[in-house]
Amino acid sequence: NAGVTQTPKFRVLKTGQSMTLLCAQDMNHEYMYWYRQDPGMGLRLIHYSVGEGTTAKGEVPDGYNVSRLKKQNFLLGLESAAPSQTSVYFCASSRDFIYEQYFGPGTRLTVT
Amino acid sequence: AQSVTQPDIHITVSEGASLELRCNYSYGATPYLFWYVQSPGQGLQLLLKYFSGDTLVQGIKGFEAEFKRSQSSFNLRKPSVHWSDAAEYFCAVQNSNSGYALNFGKGTSLLVTP
């Protein structure tokens, strides 16, 4: 039981490049989330999903897209990376709203 | 919308001393509240959560928190701090308008001195 895993762990992009971050969970959770963490800002919600095939925008969605084609996977895409997207990205999942969220180890992304 | 504020950006305590980290929430109804800890370069680990019932909540690693509706607070406490407790601590409230995502405070960085 691996919990929540994220791929890759580190990535450096040049401005304008694209990439996809993969989040996978093996706990059969319905809810999945993408957050970004910046110094002094805490974690902020980018997008979330309440079930397979559904996605919705969070607090800071601009410049990102997501997909949840399979229940266990939640993909975060950057179509044209910008330096402002340099951050640590965390994925989380939850069985239901009354249960805790489990976090992945994070992906550190640098955009130059 | 539900939100939390952590008034202290940094706190320094001596090893063996007691600890209290402050968290104030903003929400009209009963909030679902959480405390997470993040060690350097690591992910987030849940310390404890409050949904309802007993206002004093026990968590892992010897932490506890008390929900006080009259003060809109959910402060985290530990009677005796260990050097390994040095980390970033986040208070969070569940947001029912965003798929029950968490709204995090900006965090409190704990430094433990010998």
Side-chain angles (χ1 to χ4, degrees):
Chain A
N1 194 344
V4 179
T5 58
Q6 293 183 230
T7 308
K9 290 184 169 55
F10 303 92
R11 186 74 185 267
V12 178
L13 287 179
K14 294 185 185 302
T15 299
Q17 289 184 321
S18 63
M19 78 163 295
T20 299
L21 282 68
L22 170 64
C23 175
Q25 52 93 4
D26 61 1
M27 297 173 281
N28 201 36
H29 286 173
E30 291 292 338
Y31 295 74
M32 295 188 74
Y33 309 88
W34 276 107
Y35 298 90
R36 60 177 287 173
Q37 182 179 27
D38 302 293
M41 298 294 293
L43 281 79
R44 294 178 292 168
L45 182 67
I46 305 172
H47 285 280
Y48 65 96
S49 169
V50 299
E52 181 178 307
T54 74
T55 63
K57 294 180 180 179
E59 180 187 354
V60 288
D62 293 342
Y64 305 96
N65 56 76
V66 288
S67 65
R68 183 120 181 251
L69 300 179
K70 294 183 179 181
K71 187 177 184 178
Q72 65 266 33
N73 296 336
F74 195 27
L75 279 64
L76 178 71
L78 288 73
E79 291 186 346
S80 180
S84 60
Q85 294 177 304
T86 293
S87 187
V88 181
Y89 293 84
F90 287 99
C91 176
S93 72
S94 174
R95 178 179 172 184
D96 201 341
F97 73 95
I98 62 170
Y99 295 90
E100 70 174 276
Q101 290 185 21
Y102 291 84
F103 283 79
T107 295
R108 184 173 295 275
L109 174 66
T110 302
V111 183
T112 61
Chain B
Q2 300 95 322
S3 66
V4 292
T5 302
Q6 294 180 249
D8 304 305
I9 298 174
H10 300 285
I11 281 188
T12 300
V13 299
S14 299
E15 190 169 15
S18 64
L19 171 70
E20 182 169 32
L21 301 182
R22 296 184 291 163
C23 174
N24 297 107
Y25 69 86
S26 174
Y27 187 50
T30 300
Y32 290 174
L33 293 160
F34 305 78
W35 274 101
Y36 281 85
V37 62
Q38 183 181 33
S39 298
Q42 302 297 313
L44 281 79
Q45 181 181 24
L46 179 69
L47 288 175
L48 47 80
K49 61 182 183 284
Y50 173 77
F51 283 163
S52 64
D54 194 348
T55 57
L56 185 61
V57 180
Q58 301 297 321
I60 63 171
K61 303 185 179 186
F63 286 93
E64 66 178 25
E66 187 170 11
F67 174 70
K68 292 185 177 179
R69 184 186 300 279
S70 63
Q71 299 178 17
S72 297
S73 68
F74 187 56
N75 294 348
L76 182 71
R77 302 193 295 245
K78 187 170 185 178
S80 178
V81 170
H82 188 262
W83 64 265
S84 60
D85 293 323
E88 189 90 15
Y89 291 80
F90 293 98
C91 181
V93 63
Q94 198 174 63
N95 184 347
S96 57
N97 296 324
S98 295
Y100 304 103
L102 297 178
N103 288 347
F104 285 86
K106 294 185 178 182
T108 297
S109 179
L110 175 64
L111 177 65
V112 180
T113 59

